[in-house]
Amino acid sequence: MADRRPVPFAAPAVWRSRGGTRRSTRTLRIAASAAVLVCVALAVLVVPPAVDLDQQAVDLPSKLLPPSAAHPFGTDDVGRDLLLRCVYGLRVSLVVGLVAALAATVIGTAVGAAAAALGGWTDRLLMRLVDTFSSVPHLLLGIFVVAMFRPGLWPVVVSVAVTHWLSTARIVRAEVLSLRSRPYIDAAVSGGAGRLRVAVRHLLPGVLPQAGLAAVLMVPHTMWHESALSFLGLGLPTHQASLGNLVQTARGSLLAGHWWPTLFPGLFLIVPTLAVAGLAGAWRERLNPRRRAELTL
């Protein structure tokens, strides 16, 4: 006789989402990145006005002292406090990065929006111009530009700005081409709006978030570019503190076994870069809700 005992009920398998864990990790990343950038802003805004630093001072009896209570980051090869030098260098690199990124974003947004909005031969001409500049390495073109001027802050800013607008132009052009196919653009054109009015009132506001994200991501890139030029001796004068100059002057000390003149300027360059990347990643997820939904599964 067949066994008629009831079969125990098996609960269906439950798929546990990791969305909560990923959201908490993203929140922690954003908080840590914001804290680092707040500390950087306070350091470059408060320390230089409060503590004066003689850029050309020499104190040979105190040269290459290791980190201590008196000198938390040690001293450099001529006895200057390395912590103050790093803060001053970070301020210079941030000024170059912010101004150059803003200028490059304005140029790239104007070129990309004009190419997509006007179309035709204007689009082809501007994109061929972008391709021509892209065929030359950034660093090589930057060296060519900065070599035409005397060493200083503004030649470096101009050099970085004119070599970093290309990616923004491509991003803005692609976004404008996407917006041109939207129904409200067709409605504006059917209502008699001209190209300039459509571009200023409808297309440009739609690309500003993407252009702003490109500008934020460009800031650490321009800081690295300035450091590379200063490391090669083509940027700021050697006596003026910048992160590239600090790393360049510390090469001999590193070979002699003194690690701190190279480590701390490198950290002042790497840590803000990671902080900006963390905040920019969160911004990118907010601009693209589909990608954010996929990441929280």
Side-chain angles (χ1 to χ4, degrees):
M1 186 176 180
D3 188 3
R4 298 180 178 274
R5 288 178 297 178
V7 179
F9 175 74
V14 178
W15 178 66
R16 297 183 179 275
S17 173
R18 296 184 179 181
T21 303
R22 297 196 179 189
R23 279 192 294 269
S24 61
T25 303
R26 185 169 63 252
T27 303
L28 180 61
R29 182 189 65 192
I30 294 173
S33 300
V36 169
L37 292 180
V38 168
C39 293
V40 168
L42 290 177
V44 299
L45 292 176
V46 174
V47 173
V51 182
D52 190 21
L53 176 65
D54 187 358
Q55 300 279 5
Q56 300 183 2
V58 176
D59 186 10
L60 294 181
S62 302
K63 72 174 184 177
L64 294 177
L65 294 179
S68 62
H71 303 284
F73 287 4
T75 59
D76 61 6
D77 56 347
V78 293
R80 293 169 294 193
D81 186 79
L82 193 59
L83 176 57
L84 288 178
R85 295 273 290 171
C86 287
V87 173
Y88 272 76
L90 179 61
R91 183 181 65 169
V92 171
S93 297
L94 276 176
V95 168
V96 173
L98 291 173
V99 176
L102 179 60
T105 302
V106 171
I107 296 173
T109 301
V111 172
L118 298 178
W121 66 267
T122 304
D123 184 16
R124 292 192 294 270
L125 177 62
L126 292 177
M127 286 301 101
R128 295 298 78 77
L129 179 65
V130 171
D131 294 338
T132 301
F133 275 93
S134 299
S135 63
V136 182
H138 284 178
L139 185 58
L140 182 60
L141 184 58
I143 291 173
F144 174 77
V145 173
V146 81
M148 295 188 298
F149 304 94
R150 297 179 60 184
L153 181 65
W154 291 111
V156 176
V157 171
V158 173
S159 170
V160 176
V162 300
T163 57
H164 287 75
W165 58 272
L166 307 173
S167 59
T168 304
R170 289 196 175 99
I171 292 172
V172 170
R173 176 180 178 270
E175 191 68 18
V176 171
L177 289 176
S178 175
L179 292 175
R180 284 178 58 183
S181 61
R182 304 293 175 86
Y184 68 90
I185 300 297
D186 295 336
V189 174
S190 301
R195 288 186 175 183
L196 181 60
R197 182 178 178 84
V198 170
V200 174
R201 294 291 302 272
H202 302 287
L203 297 179
L204 190 59
V207 302
L208 286 181
Q210 294 289 349
L213 177 59
V216 171
L217 289 173
M218 200 182 303
V219 171
H221 189 72
T222 53
M223 290 174 59
W224 282 87
H225 197 87
E226 179 274 327
S227 299
L229 290 174
S230 298
F231 182 82
L232 294 174
L234 299 171
L236 301 176
T238 55
H239 69 273
Q240 187 172 357
S242 73
L243 297 179
N245 280 339
L246 293 178
V247 175
Q248 195 273 339
T249 56
R251 290 183 301 169
S253 303
L254 182 63
L255 295 176
H258 306 293
W259 49 269
W260 55 93
T262 304
L263 175 64
F264 292 114
L267 290 178
F268 267 65
L269 188 59
I270 294 173
V271 173
T273 298
L274 296 177
V276 172
L279 290 181
W283 189 353
R284 184 187 297 112
E285 293 170 14
R286 292 185 65 87
L287 288 179
N288 194 341
R290 178 180 298 179
R291 183 175 183 271
R292 181 178 58 181
E294 293 172 354
L295 291 175
T296 56
L297 290 178

